[in-house]
Amino acid sequence: MKISRENKKYMLLILPLYGVVTGAIMYAFCMICMKFGFGQSFFALVGAVIPVMITGGVNLAGFMKTSDALRNARTVEKRLEMMKDVHAGINAVIAAAAYYMLYAGGLVMIWKDKQLLLLGIGYVISGTLGGMAVVWFPETKSKESPYTYVSKSEKQVFRVFLSLILVLCFGTCIMFSMIMGLLEALICMWIWTFYYYMSKKCFGGITKELTGFFMALCELAVVLFVGVFGRILM
């Protein structure tokens, strides 16, 4: 079903909801693996595919296209042109393979309840920051701009709403674990800041593909952080 131009702006509210659904499914899947003795490796290898299945691969596709454009193009115009190419280059395939292995490597170390909770909240944070970037960061002037149809007044409403969700997520993380919660919040905000400067310098602003790139990168960072440091600090 095709979404009307007027209703597309509400997709910004779906991004945090995507995080809630993904986090809940990952938690439930881990509980099933524990109950039936499927093991951590099975959870990690299958779990790494769950976010891709939920989004239909949109975020991973954005990650692949952006990685390919950053590696092979030297100008803003050329990078934006490469974003439109439906064919995956060799660098995009390599980036996707490395992404999956790192993602699964992080998940294989996540087994504790608090780790799973921080992982689940990480998906919500990723979606929320992805939406906040749309209403705060500059957009590229090409036709690939994601939400040019959102008015300034509507952006203000979305900013307040998404900011409240983000504060709630950070507060919940800190409540579960002071050190881990603070570090997770800092890591996500650092990647968000990197996303701002990278998109502005290399692409002239954000695009739909760059939104997917950020969300995929942010989720990967959370998985690795919760997996590695959760084993040490929790």
Side-chain angles (χ1 to χ4, degrees):
M1 182 178 65
K2 188 175 181 179
I3 302 175
S4 67
R5 185 180 180 85
E6 176 64 24
N7 291 330
K8 278 185 178 181
K9 59 191 173 187
Y10 297 110
M11 292 294 290
L12 291 175
L13 303 180
I14 295 179
L15 292 178
L17 181 60
Y18 147 78
V20 174
V21 173
T22 304
I25 292 177
M26 291 291 284
Y27 187 90
F29 179 62
C30 184
M31 293 298 103
I32 291 172
C33 290
M34 291 176 64
K35 182 176 181 180
F36 294 99
F38 293 155
Q40 289 177 269
S41 296
F42 182 78
F43 165 68
L45 293 173
V46 177
V49 183
I50 289 177
V52 179
M53 295 174 63
I54 294 174
T55 63
V58 174
N59 291 349
L60 185 57
F63 180 83
M64 293 174 67
K65 287 185 177 182
T66 303
S67 300
D68 205 22
L70 289 172
R71 179 66 178 83
N72 292 315
R74 295 291 178 266
T75 65
V76 171
E77 293 75 16
K78 183 62 177 178
R79 293 187 188 106
L80 291 174
E81 183 180 342
M82 289 188 66
M83 288 289 200
K84 303 175 185 178
D85 191 354
V86 296
H87 301 94
I90 184 63
N91 290 296
V93 175
I94 292 172
Y99 182 89
Y100 180 80
M101 287 189 289
L102 288 171
Y103 207 105
L107 285 179
V108 80
M109 295 184 287
I110 298 176
W111 209 246
K112 302 175 184 176
D113 284 342
K114 286 188 176 181
Q115 282 182 296
L116 289 168
L117 290 171
L118 288 175
L119 173 66
I121 297 173
Y123 289 113
V124 184
I125 293 173
S126 170
T128 303
L129 288 175
M132 290 176 67
V134 171
V135 294
W136 250 301
F137 293 178
E139 295 181 353
T140 178
K141 300 185 184 301
S142 74
K143 294 181 180 179
E144 299 301 309
S145 299
Y147 295 101
T148 52
Y149 43 78
V150 182
S151 66
K152 290 185 178 180
S153 60
E154 290 170 337
K155 282 186 177 182
Q156 292 294 341
V157 174
F158 285 128
R159 284 171 183 170
V160 173
F161 180 77
L162 293 172
S163 295
L164 289 174
I165 295 178
L166 185 66
V167 170
L168 180 61
C169 288
F170 285 166
T172 306
C173 285
I174 294 171
M175 180 182 68
F176 285 137
S177 175
M178 176 68 73
I179 297 177
M180 288 289 294
L182 283 172
L183 289 176
E184 182 170 333
L186 288 173
I187 288 172
C188 290
M189 292 307 299
W190 180 83
I191 294 175
W192 197 59
T193 303
F194 160 76
Y195 172 41
Y196 169 78
Y197 287 106
M198 183 276 291
S199 61
K200 188 176 180 180
K201 177 181 179 181
C202 299
F203 295 90
I206 63 172
T207 67
K208 290 180 289 186
E209 289 78 13
L210 283 169
T211 300
F213 170 82
F214 161 74
M215 290 180 63
L217 186 63
C218 187
E219 290 170 14
L220 176 61
V222 170
V223 167
L224 290 173
F225 167 71
V226 173
V228 175
F229 287 91
R231 285 295 182 98
I232 299 173
L233 300 176
M234 300 180 73

